[in-house]
Structure formats: structure tokens, C-alpha cells
Amino acid sequence: MAAEEGAEIVGQRIGSGNPVIGKEKAEAGRCRECHGADGNSSDAKIPNHAGQYAAYLVKQLSDFQSGARRHEIMTIMAEDLSAADMADIGAYFASREIMQGDGAGANALGRNLFDNGDQGRDIPACASCHGTRGKGGIAGNVIYPVIGGQRKIYLRSQLVGWKLGDRKNSPGGVMNKIAESLSDDEIEALADYISGL
């Protein structure tokens, strides 16, 4: 975990699962084959999970089980997981060093949207939920995932999915509303900037 994180934040990030048991389950369940032994994937289409909030990962796995989120491979991978399995696997990935970008995404358009949004189009700043460096947070019962340092191709695909309505599992559909207002160029710019954080 990042040295600057306090014990309370680390506890929130890891949640109720056991990261040691989660490492074994992630290995046995083949999670680490795609998402990386340290939670950083080697495939640009597969998301990093390093330092992601465990509760966010649990929600996504639950959504794959229920059909609220669809993915050909992840639906199969999640189908037999118990609540304890999900909590432990989530805790393992959450306990890894938080994903970091390479700083290469110096995209002015992406940075402006991330930092300021566009009030004229009711687009909030990404930073207002995901944090100034995109490292996520918890506000009440809502978990804002780590997006800073996430894979660029994955970020782009998710924003496009939100825009087209192929993905619909954000609280209150907020990500669909935001993405629907973004142009293709803005999606590309955001993916470029956020991946570098």
C-alpha cells in the first residue's frame, strides 16, 4: 500500500476480507493470470486491480453473477464465487500497491475535463468523485473506484460502454448520464489523461 495512506484508509480499501487467503483464492481461481500477480495486468484490454477498493471489486463480481454487468469471461469466472471468496479476493487486490500511470497522459482536454468538468453540459469534474489523482474514495455507501493509472484501452472501452448503455451498473446511472454527454474525442482525451495519473 502507498506509504501516505493512513491505517483507516487502508482498512476501508481492504474491507472485511482476508488478503492472505485472497491471494490463494486469486491464484486458484486464475484471477492473477489475467489481472497480474501484483494486480497490474499485462494486457491493455484487461483492467488493473492493484489497490482498487475491495468493496468495488466485490460489487463488480456480484454484478457479473446477477447479470447487472455482462462480460463473457467474467460472468463465468464469477458464477461460483461465494460472498467470502469475493471479499477475500477483493482484499488481496486492494492490498497491492495502488496502480500508477506513467505520467505520459499530458492531454490538456482530458485534464480540463478531469479537473473541471463542463458545467454548461452538466458534466461534473471526474476529480470530484474519483479524487484529484483518480485514486478513488468512499463517501457514505458509495465507493468511487481507483481510475488513475488504469489501462487506457480499458478506460476508453468502459466510457464507450457507459455512453452506449452497454454498461449500466453505476449508482443511479450517473456514469451513463456523464458519458452520454462526452464526444468521442473527449472520451479519448480522458482515457489518455487518466491512464497517466
Side-chain angles (χ1 to χ4, degrees):
M1 299 296 320
E4 66 272 8
E5 282 198 316
E8 180 181 341
I9 293 172
V10 170
Q12 284 182 335
R13 192 173 296 282
I14 291 174
S16 62
N18 183 321
V20 175
I21 294 171
K23 180 179 182 181
E24 295 170 10
K25 290 179 178 180
E27 182 65 36
R30 302 178 63 192
C31 309
R32 295 173 5 139
E33 285 181 26
C34 293
H35 296 287
D38 63 352
N40 290 294
S41 125
S42 60
D43 184 325
K45 296 176 186 170
I46 298 175
N48 294 329
H49 288 337
Q52 186 60 268
Y53 283 88
Y56 179 78
L57 294 173
V58 168
K59 180 192 183 307
Q60 300 312 304
L61 289 167
S62 296
D63 286 354
F64 286 125
Q65 280 187 340
S66 72
R69 184 173 178 191
R70 299 180 191 281
H71 186 274
E72 183 179 353
I73 294 168
M74 284 308 304
T75 298
I76 294 167
M77 298 303 288
E79 68 184 353
D80 293 331
L81 295 176
S82 69
D85 292 337
M86 289 188 259
D88 292 339
I89 291 168
Y92 168 68
F93 284 118
S95 73
R96 305 293 84 208
E97 190 72 27
I98 298 173
M99 63 185 89
Q100 297 293 322
D102 60 9
N107 189 303
L109 174 59
R111 181 179 185 155
N112 184 53
L113 283 168
F114 186 87
D115 289 341
N116 304 308
D118 183 337
Q119 299 312 310
R121 294 186 289 159
D122 261 351
I123 299 173
C126 306
S128 66
C129 293
H130 294 282
T132 57
R133 299 289 302 153
K135 302 309 178 192
I138 297 176
N141 293 327
V142 180
I143 299 151
Y144 299 101
V146 177
I147 57 173
Q150 186 55 271
R151 308 291 296 195
K152 178 180 175 180
I153 290 173
Y154 180 76
L155 287 167
R156 182 190 316 121
S157 72
Q158 296 311 293
L159 285 168
V160 169
W162 294 118
K163 181 174 182 157
L164 298 177
D166 295 335
R167 184 171 174 191
K168 303 179 247 191
N169 68 330
S170 67
V174 66
M175 285 304 304
N176 298 96
K177 294 172 192 165
I178 292 168
E180 285 167 5
S181 299
L182 296 172
S183 70
D184 292 346
D185 287 344
E186 288 170 331
I187 286 174
E188 183 68 28
L190 279 168
D192 184 43
Y193 178 71
I194 294 168
S195 66
L197 293 175

